[in-house]
Amino acid sequence: MRTKALLLSTLAAVSAFNYTQIASAAETTVLDVSQNTTVPLMPATAVPITDDLVVTATKVEVMGANQELQQIITNLIKTRAGGDTSQSQLQKDVEVILSTGLFTNARVISQPNSVGLDVVYQVQPVLLKSFELSGAKELTLPVINEIFKDQIGLPVSPAALKVAGDKINEWYKQNNYDLAQVVFLQPNRDGKLIVEVAEGVVGDIKIRFIDRDGKVTLENGDPIQGRTSQDFIKGELKMTSGEVFRRDKAQEDLMRLYRTGLFENATISLDGDARKVNITYNLTEAPARAINGGLGYNASTGVVGTISYQDNNLGGANQKLGLNLQGNTRDLQFDAKFADPYRESNPNRWGYSVNAFRNRVVSLTFDDEVKLENGDRAREGQFGGGVALSKPVGDWQATVGLNYQRTSIRDADGEVTPVDSLGNSLTLSGTGIDDLTTVSASLTRDRRDNPLNPTSGSLISVGTKQSVPVGQGNILMNQIEGSYTQYVPVGFVQNNGKSDVFAFNVQGGTTIGDLPPYEAYNLGGPNSVRGYRNGELGTARSYVLASAEYRVPIWQPVTGVLFADFGSDLGSQESVPGQPGVVRDKSGIGFGYGAGVRLNTPIGVIRADYGINDQGEGRLQFGVGQRF
């Protein structure tokens, strides 16, 4: 965008001569302001001269003005010591002096001598008394009075006006009005200073979609049509037509669009000048829809078929729908979720999500050398559902939810098994089946620059989950969890506009009251301490986990990663009912380190990490999305 420079106009208006101006960009626009009021010339009383008589000015003086104003007058008038002058020229000099607006009165006295004429210009400077603001929405008279407080009651000084104009422009920048500038400062003969500004009022707001190759049009020249509704996008924006452009507000708009998860890239371009600016939001959409399916074979269940559908932008309004199905001849598992997030365009409405699930997986808590009585590996079967409501509270996102889950421990044939081969109970009820109803609440503050692939900022979350003692197991427990993540750009490596980043995460949690063993914290695995198998490091009532990564862009779309993880059960494994971690000889504390790659694909980030744990064992582990 070519930003037109606006400046403090000259206070003089003689031909093209200007002596005071503030320019803030390369291009200069000079606004010519003049006063037509003049004071009649007072001719010398000695020897009158006519308009046609040209004489030599032997001496030229200025009286009644300080050195700055004297220099301005000297530069403006045509009469010079040793040069020719005349009655008409002296009259023009007075008119020029008055046209500056710096003087309430001016006259000239000429005294003939033997070789020419002595000339004295007597002036009365304008004293600064009051102000008039023009074009201002955000700048106020109290701010102006503070800036000019040292000039009140004194003769108007172009040099001091320039300093004050710079202070006004600095005030605009400090308050994020990056386009706002002083147009001119113009005093009048009554001592009033007119302060005209242009503050960058927002005109049109446009949305432009850009594909991943940077193109804005199709091959036929038509603009690219995004899947996201423009009404939805504009509803998320705080910037509106008619208000003054603010940098911080524009940045908040971009962050808000990023946080929807709908866009890989979002920028703003400006068109216009400081009086009126049009804003275009340039958006590259992230892949929002995916469908996958497959067939596999499992020795215990036979042929297994899977199908999944994911739409993160249903209806172009950021509604999310996910469905996963997995089945064989004996069992059907599913996980379905629908979410309609909170919209700032409708602040009285909460965002919400609902989900339902039925699944059966090999238990991370009980999967090791200690198996079931019949020698099978323990499976956790779960079904249930829940609803959650979300809404911002200041800088935080608040979420409350109600969930129900029935958990059963079963063998490979689907038979409920209440104890393992050592006789330890696998559920809190002792029957092999527990009911868990919980009320949850959490707060999250997200200051990442991009939630899909952050390079700076932070993410903090804290939450609690309180069970209601109903159903089998009569479980009464409370879990408290927290997590903090920080991203620090480094700048050692630059590739395709992306920089290397240090990422740090620390998280922890604890359980108070009853604790079903399958609800314990399992440490180890690709989402915990890498280099360990899932749940191999510990099964704990309380835990802490710390991780660090150095992410380096290699080439689009590949990123390399060096990482280190540390996890500890805080000595809490023995307090888990049945002590599943203790009887399986889990150490409860350990670390891992290694390297990996991240591949940015249309279905999201796929990661592969090779980790080495503190026992010297190495593993290649895979996952979807960044580790944190």
Side-chain angles (χ1 to χ4, degrees), residues 457-473:
S458 63
L459 177 66
I460 303 175
S461 65
V462 292
T464 183
K465 182 170 65 175
Q466 175 65 54
S467 71
V468 180
V470 295
Q472 294 195 61

Side-chain angles (χ1 to χ4, degrees), residues 144-207:
I144 292 295
N145 288 330
E146 178 64 23
I147 290 175
F148 284 93
K149 64 181 181 181
D150 294 335
Q151 300 184 45
I152 300 294
L154 300 178
V156 173
S157 164
L161 291 183
K162 182 182 186 307
V163 172
D166 289 339
K167 289 181 178 179
I168 295 174
N169 289 336
E170 182 62 27
W171 181 89
Y172 276 128
K173 285 183 170 51
Q174 289 177 353
N175 288 276
N176 294 296
Y177 302 110
D178 283 8
L179 302 183
Q181 298 182 42
V182 175
V183 176
F184 67 75
L185 302 175
Q186 176 64 54
N188 63 28
R189 294 173 61 187
D190 295 328
K192 178 183 287 186
L193 180 68
I194 299 174
V195 181
E196 182 171 332
V197 295
E199 295 187 328
V201 175
V202 176
D204 294 334
I205 296 178
K206 303 176 182 178
I207 307 298

